[in-house]
């Protein structure tokens, strides 16, 4: 589809790049927001990218809404011709799947769930056709995930599984949202994974928990001292299953200031990935672990 533009009051323009969530839609959105930023249009005060859309906030006393609309529309063809290549980073995130904290929480809210007799992992495994939780966890952690948006609450990443469409894990959200979700829960709703950066309400299925904080407003955690939010759109994530001992060791390392996430710079080429996702993901694994 061609991009759909709409006004949000007198000081916002919302641009829907595509109705379908995809890496192609994300890259077009990324190219357009980059073009808006580099064009330095007078009056722009904020640019907010999302999965397949973005919003521009502007000062209507400096530029009228109609003029701002024309400025953004003029950049669309330029953005469509941009090469879908991104200089980014790949990050390893430890996950304690089936941990006791998310388990205790999900058991308190079974009346809000599609299958009150199963855990979230058991339910997700069954409806995605996997032969048990272990096989499902392997599928969840064996492929990388692309961070397409950061938001909803501060620092929360929305992640898109980097496999062919028919292989993507899909799980509906709870029938009714929970009033509680443990901090750093690794969750899933629809086709998107996430990590809950803070404790609070939520409706995504809960698969596990990471010992690695991703948001620190006090900037006391060693790797968050430069900026309180860890993730950026375009980051690539690889989950690493850990047991209770591995989880506890990582927590101690975070608390003592010794924990350093495994991060490697990488160039992501959407065209090359699309030609052979499996082979490309192996290359990303090699970059992450230095093979």
């Amino acid at each position: 589809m061609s991009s759909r533009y709409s006004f949000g009051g007198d000081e916002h323009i919302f641009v829907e790049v595509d109705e379908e969530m995809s890496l192609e839609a994300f890259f077009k959105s990324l190219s357009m927001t980059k073009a808006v930023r580099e064009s330095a249009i007078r009056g722009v005060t904020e640019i907010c990218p999302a999965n397949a859309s973005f919003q521009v906030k502007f000062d209507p006393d400096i530029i009228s809404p109609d003029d701002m609309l024309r400025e953004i529309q003029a950049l669309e063809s330029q953005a469509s011709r941009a090469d879908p290549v991104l200089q980014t980073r790949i990050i390893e995130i430890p996950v304690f799947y089936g941990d006791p904290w998310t388990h205790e929480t999900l058991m308190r809210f079974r009346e809000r769930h599609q299958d009150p007799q199963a855990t979230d992992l058991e339910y997700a495994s069954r409806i995605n056709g996997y032969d048990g939780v272990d096989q499902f966890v392997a599928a969840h952690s064996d492929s990388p995930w692309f961070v397409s948006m950061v938001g909803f609450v501060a620092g929360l990443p929305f992640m898109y599984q980097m496999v062919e469409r028919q292989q993507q894990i899909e799980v509906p959200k709870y029938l009714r949202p929970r009033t509680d979700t443990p901090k750093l829960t690794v969750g899933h709703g629809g086709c998107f994974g996430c990590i809950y950066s803070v404790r609070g309400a939520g409706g995504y299925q809960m698969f596990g928990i990471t010992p690695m904080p991703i948001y620190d407003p006090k900037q006391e955690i060693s790797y968050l001292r430069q900026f309180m939010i860890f993730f950026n759109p375009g980051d690539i994530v690889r989950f690493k299953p850990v047991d209770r001992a591995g989880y506890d060791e990582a927590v101690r390392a975070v608390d003592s200031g010794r924990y350093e996430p495994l991060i490697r710079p990488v160039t992501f080429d959407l065209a090359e990935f699309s030609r052979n996702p499996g082979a490309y993901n192996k290359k990303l694994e090699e970059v992450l672990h230095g093979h």
Side-chain angles (χ1 to χ4, degrees):
M1 64 172 276
S2 58
S3 298
R4 184 161 55 199
Y5 296 79
S6 56
F7 292 108
D10 293 333
E11 55 184 25
H12 296 91
I13 290 179
F14 176 71
V15 184
E16 185 181 9
V17 172
D18 203 327
E19 293 178 345
E20 184 179 84
M21 300 294 183
S22 66
L23 288 178
E24 290 79 7
F26 168 80
F27 267 83
K28 184 176 179 182
S29 174
L30 184 70
S31 295
M32 289 187 70
T33 53
K34 181 181 178 183
V36 171
R37 189 175 297 109
E38 292 178 349
S39 296
I41 303 169
R42 291 182 64 252
V44 171
T45 58
E46 189 173 356
I47 304 167
C48 182
N51 296 310
S53 61
F54 64 93
Q55 183 166 274
V56 176
K57 183 178 181 181
F58 59 93
D59 185 342
D61 292 330
I62 296 176
I63 184 170
S64 72
D66 287 337
D67 286 343
M68 177 58 70
L69 176 62
R70 282 191 287 270
E71 292 276 5
I72 298 174
Q73 286 176 324
L75 298 171
E76 183 172 356
S77 61
Q78 170 189 332
S80 298
R81 294 191 301 269
D83 290 334
V85 176
L86 180 66
Q87 302 299 322
T88 185
R89 56 186 187 163
I90 183 167
I91 306 157
E92 185 173 83
I93 304 292
V95 180
F96 182 14
Y97 289 93
D99 66 280
W101 305 283
T102 59
H103 181 79
E104 185 277 331
T105 303
L106 67 87
M107 293 306 293
R108 283 192 278 121
F109 293 97
R110 292 333 278 164
E111 81 283 356
R112 304 181 185 215
H113 195 272
Q114 292 87 348
D115 187 350
Q117 306 305 314
T119 66
D120 292 6
L121 275 171
E122 290 168 343
Y123 172 67
S125 173
R126 177 173 58 80
I127 68 170
N128 280 276
Y130 288 99
D131 185 18
V133 168
D134 289 346
Q135 191 180 90
F136 177 81
V137 168
H140 189 269
S141 58
D142 280 353
S143 61
W145 297 71
F146 194 92
V147 177
S148 59
M149 173 182 166
V150 179
F152 179 68
V153 294
L156 184 151
F158 287 85
M159 296 174 288
Y160 186 86
Q161 192 177 19
M162 294 171 60
V163 294
E164 295 181 8
R165 180 64 61 91
Q166 62 270 25
Q167 294 180 292
Q168 287 182 343
I169 292 169
E170 293 191 26
V171 192
K173 296 188 288 185
Y174 275 44
L175 297 175
R176 288 186 292 131
R178 300 177 303 274
T179 56
D180 190 22
T181 307
K183 177 182 176 181
L184 299 178
T185 290
V186 175
H188 198 98
C191 68
F192 283 102
C194 81
I195 302 174
Y196 285 79
S197 53
V198 297
R199 183 179 182 181
Y204 277 23
Q205 307 285 336
M206 296 184 289
F207 295 163
I209 200 164
T210 177
M212 182 183 144
I214 59 172
Y215 171 61
D216 179 18
K218 296 182 179 179
Q219 294 179 252
E220 296 174 343
I221 295 171
S222 57
Y223 56 88
L224 293 174
R225 286 177 183 149
Q226 297 298 315
F227 192 60
M228 68 182 71
I229 292 173
F230 182 73
F231 285 109
N232 300 303
D235 282 342
I236 297 172
V237 171
R238 183 68 186 267
F239 294 120
K240 176 187 177 181
V242 296
D243 58 12
R244 179 61 187 267
Y247 174 88
D248 289 343
E249 172 56 32
V251 169
R252 288 192 292 269
V254 170
D255 291 344
S256 64
R258 296 181 291 107
Y259 190 85
E260 289 297 332
L262 178 59
I263 303 172
R264 297 285 187 265
V266 68
T267 300
F268 179 73
D269 186 321
L270 177 61
E272 186 179 349
F273 167 79
S274 299
R275 283 193 292 270
N276 191 333
Y280 197 85
N281 287 345
K282 288 181 180 178
K283 289 176 60 177
L284 292 175
E285 177 74 12
E286 292 169 1
V287 170
L288 181 63
H289 293 289
H291 296 158

